[in-house]
Amino acid sequence: MVTQTSPSPGISHIHTVPRAAEILRITSADSVNGHSTSSSKESMASNVLKDVHIPARLMEDFLELARDNTSKDLETCGVLGASLKESTFYVTTLIIPKQESSSSSCQALNEEEIFAIQNEQSVYPIGWIHTHPSQSCFMSSVDLHTQYSYQVMVREAVAIVMAPTDKSRGSGVFRLSEPGGMSVLRECQEHGYHPHREPTDGSSVYDHCSNVYINPYLRLEICDLR
């Protein structure tokens, strides 16, 4: 079922939940065809961070929306909105803003339109999703600064990278390490592509998320503002 939403331009998708559907945790060992998962019963997610649930169709739907740009070797970005219930974030909204793109960058425009939808739907800015149309699945220095701007607002904010041409890992869900990665980005004043120093605590600048789950019961609303 597909219906137009109003007043915000967009599309709402309602998907049939398969019988015996299971909520699965995204793991760091991504498969060739996308992301691998493990049962939520075996979760090793942090007890400090709140869990984040994403709709089962989020990544697939986003890649479809990004298809034209991907064919032109242009990045596409989107903003994730989530509700918070009983200490768990549930991603319910994907906003595709007006944007300027290149093969290695994507900049959202008219951010006031994003804020208006977030306020209208009372959702938290729980992170972002973007493509690497011809690169591997990783976080660039520019991506790290973008992630910092989200994570400094909401600790659980995630960065989802979709790399359709990466045969070893088609997607990844990342966040800056704490306190190491956050400290490095907080102190960095450089712009564009540049190297970052290693955190003094011996950690990586960013990590795979261990608190993110694929939830087939979630309904996703897509607001495409382009």
Side-chain angles (χ1 to χ4, degrees):
M1 177 179 178
V2 179
T3 58
Q4 295 290 331
T5 61
S6 178
S8 299
I11 301 176
S12 293
H13 299 265
I14 302 175
H15 304 294
T16 301
V17 178
R19 190 172 299 177
E22 187 177 9
I23 297 174
L24 301 173
R25 182 171 66 91
I26 297 178
T27 69
S28 61
D30 288 344
S31 67
V32 170
N33 294 323
H35 46 269
S36 64
T37 57
S38 64
S39 170
S40 60
K41 296 179 181 178
E42 301 172 356
S43 170
M44 295 298 291
S46 168
N47 291 325
V48 177
L49 291 172
K50 296 178 177 65
D51 288 340
V52 178
H53 286 221
I54 65 174
R57 289 288 299 268
L58 170 65
M59 297 182 187
E60 181 180 344
D61 285 350
F62 178 70
L63 279 181
E64 178 62 27
L65 290 165
R67 183 174 57 177
D68 286 348
N69 275 359
T70 300
S71 67
K72 301 172 185 175
D73 195 21
L74 297 174
E75 286 195 4
T76 304
C77 64
V79 178
L80 306 176
S83 60
L84 177 61
K85 298 179 181 178
E86 298 180 355
S87 297
T88 298
F89 285 104
Y90 296 94
V91 174
T92 56
T93 305
L94 168 61
I95 304 170
I96 310 296
K98 295 180 179 68
Q99 51 197 268
E100 290 182 345
S101 302
S102 71
S103 61
S104 58
S105 66
C106 187
Q107 177 65 47
L109 305 175
N110 299 359
E111 292 185 335
E112 66 278 3
E113 296 179 350
I114 301 173
F115 301 148
I117 294 174
Q118 291 171 337
N119 290 333
E120 176 187 315
Q121 300 190 2
S122 299
V123 292
Y124 291 85
I126 197 61
W128 61 303
I129 182 170
H130 76 291
T131 55
H132 281 184
S134 57
Q135 300 184 65
S136 58
C137 185
F138 73 106
M139 292 281 282
S140 71
S141 58
V142 173
D143 295 340
L144 295 177
H145 280 272
T146 300
Q147 175 60 17
Y148 177 81
S149 69
Y150 281 98
Q151 203 168 316
V152 77
M153 292 188 294
V154 180
R155 283 193 64 214
E156 289 79 4
V158 300
I160 302 178
V161 179
M162 304 299 299
T165 62
D166 187 337
K167 302 305 181 184
S168 63
R169 180 190 299 154
S171 64
V173 185
F174 307 107
R175 68 187 302 273
L176 297 175
S177 63
E178 291 183 339
M182 288 292 288
S183 177
V184 169
L185 271 296
R186 184 182 303 113
E187 297 170 3
C188 181
Q189 300 299 316
E190 295 189 55
H191 301 280
Y193 292 96
H194 56 276
H196 286 107
R197 66 172 177 83
E198 293 298 317
T200 56
D201 61 5
S203 65
S204 300
V205 175
Y206 69 95
D207 299 315
H208 292 273
C209 293
S210 61
N211 62 321
V212 179
Y213 296 80
I214 295 176
N215 188 331
Y217 298 95
L218 288 179
R219 176 180 179 271
L220 178 66
E221 180 171 357
I222 301 174
C223 302
D224 193 338
L225 305 177
R226 292 174 297 177

